Amino acid sequence: MNKTVLVTGGAGYIGSHACVELSEAGYDVIVVDNLSNSQMEAVRRVEQIIGKPLVFYQADVRDKPALSDIFQQHKIDAVIHFAGLKAVGESCQQPVAYYHNNNVSTLVLVETMAQFKVSHLVFSSSATVYGDPQSVPITEDFPLQATNPYGRTKLFIEDILRDLSQADVLNNAELPWKIALLRYFNPVGAHSSGLIGESPNGIPNNLMPYLSQVAIGKLEKLSVFGDDYATRDGTGVRDYIHVVDLAQGHVKALDYLLAKATDEGLCEAFNLGTGQGNSVLEMIETFQSVTGQMVNYQIVDRRPGDIAECYANTDLAEKKLGWKAQKNLHDMITDTWRWQTKNPNGYEEKL
Ligand code: NAD
Ligand code: WQD
């Protein structure tokens, strides 16, 4: 019989791609999302790709009665927790909203899971928990630090989940937690169908959606934030990872947790990146050569809070989860561009 996985935030950018990969891997998927940063159209498009309906609940994960109802109605085997707010700048302006949404939703979720004896959890963490790393590539045992409220929500949640796992040891728990903390590097790209992708509200904060909106003529010019970093061309270097590879990483993490013996508890962190770093100028050049579109850009001052270089060592995920990113920068850009050209206004365009 298929295992059933509850996907919080499943209407969002990464969650929607994960729903496709989970379904294709034979999991039954239930989505809970409050649609605060997504649209129902994303769920419809996922259904179109997988060729069957998704069980969808519009609810806030902080709403305990609503969440309990879902656990009551379905026999859930595991949870993937994507739901959360994710904009670094906004988190500095509205820290309480971020702590409330991200941290309280996780507390309500783990309380409800414990109540219904569900012990398998995959959590969306972020490379942001490494702060400004002393060196690259980054391994999972690097010191953790947060440099903004968003990052602190992720760090707190990681701590909460590690504490839960530790408590199992102290309590000699019969059904210990099995938790994977997946630290994503820079997710980009879209499903190869062009049906689902990243649909940011307003002006994008992140490089790839900004770049593609300049290329399609929705935005005038890309600002390159600084060319005086100690990197090969002076611009910031990041580990861009295709969202479909990332989604498949969740399937592998779930398989890994579900294969553990009932009485074996764990809380392990894994980097999900490609292990390759690319600079902003390299991204622009590759974007231009892959799409044939010129990208108007100018060099401006550094963006406060940015770091010079960030890329992953992914050996642990390869060794333990049997996962390695398959797609290259060319694929990431081709798929981003297909999504952008087919959906110039994101999910506002109904297919
Ligand atoms: P997203 O905003 O597209 O998706 C998040 C989804 O969660 C949205 O559909 C939103 O409506 C929903 N949501 C938010 N709060 C909720 C709540 N309280 N109850 C129910 N639903 C709620 O973001 P994404 O890019 O898909 O990111 C998913 C997760 O991955 C987030 O936790 C994010 O912090 C993390 N992450 C993202 C990135 C990135 O660059 N995209 C990088 C590292 C980590
Ligand atoms: C990438 C590079 C910028 C925009 C953020 C979060 C991180 C994680 C992923 C959630 C940097 C440069 C960008 C632009 C530019 N999210 N840039 N002009 O900052 O690495 O990571 O998203 O967990 O926590 O901080 O991603 O795409 O914003 O920037 O020059 O208009 O592109 O300076 O070097 P970042 P990004």
Side-chain angles (χ1 to χ4, degrees), residues 86-88 125-129 148 150-151 154 184-188 204-211 221-226 229 235-238 240 278-280 283 300 302-303 305-308 310:
K86 63 164 181 178
V88 172
S125 188
S126 166
T128 193
V129 299
N148 55 67
Y150 165 71
K154 293 292 175 191
Y184 316 153
F185 280 67
N186 287 59
V188 297
N205 300 307
N206 296 114
L207 178 65
M208 193 60 131
Y210 205 107
L211 191 53
K221 197 185 275 186
L222 172 75
S223 294
V224 175
F225 298 138
Y229 286 105
T235 64
V237 167
R238 297 291 183 274
Y240 298 94
N278 282 105
S279 74
V280 180
M283 294 300 284
V300 301
R302 291 179 179 196
R303 180 171 64 178
D306 272 358
I307 57 177
C310 175

Side-chain angles (χ1 to χ4, degrees), residues 30 57 66-76 116:
I30 297 171
Y57 291 91
L67 198 63
S68 299
D69 250 18
I70 300 171
F71 278 83
Q72 196 91 57
Q73 286 186 44
H74 303 271
K75 201 211 148 293
I76 291 166
F116 287 88

Side-chain angles (χ1 to χ4, degrees), residues 13-14 33-34 36-38 60-61 82 86 101 150 154:
Y13 172 43
I14 306 170
D33 198 303
N34 64 4
S36 60
N37 195 38
S38 51
D60 195 300
V61 179
F82 291 104
K86 63 164 181 178
N101 196 8
Y150 165 71
K154 293 292 175 191

Side-chain angles (χ1 to χ4, degrees), residues 23-60:
S23 174
E24 287 178 354
Y27 286 99
D28 287 337
V29 178
I30 297 171
V31 172
V32 55
D33 198 303
N34 64 4
L35 301 180
S36 60
N37 195 38
S38 51
Q39 275 130 319
M40 199 51 207
E41 181 62 11
V43 176
R44 288 189 207 105
R45 304 268 186 104
V46 169
E47 292 177 330
Q48 200 176 330
I49 297 170
I50 64 176
K52 58 181 179 191
L54 268 186
V55 182
F56 177 82
Y57 291 91
Q58 183 172 352
D60 195 300

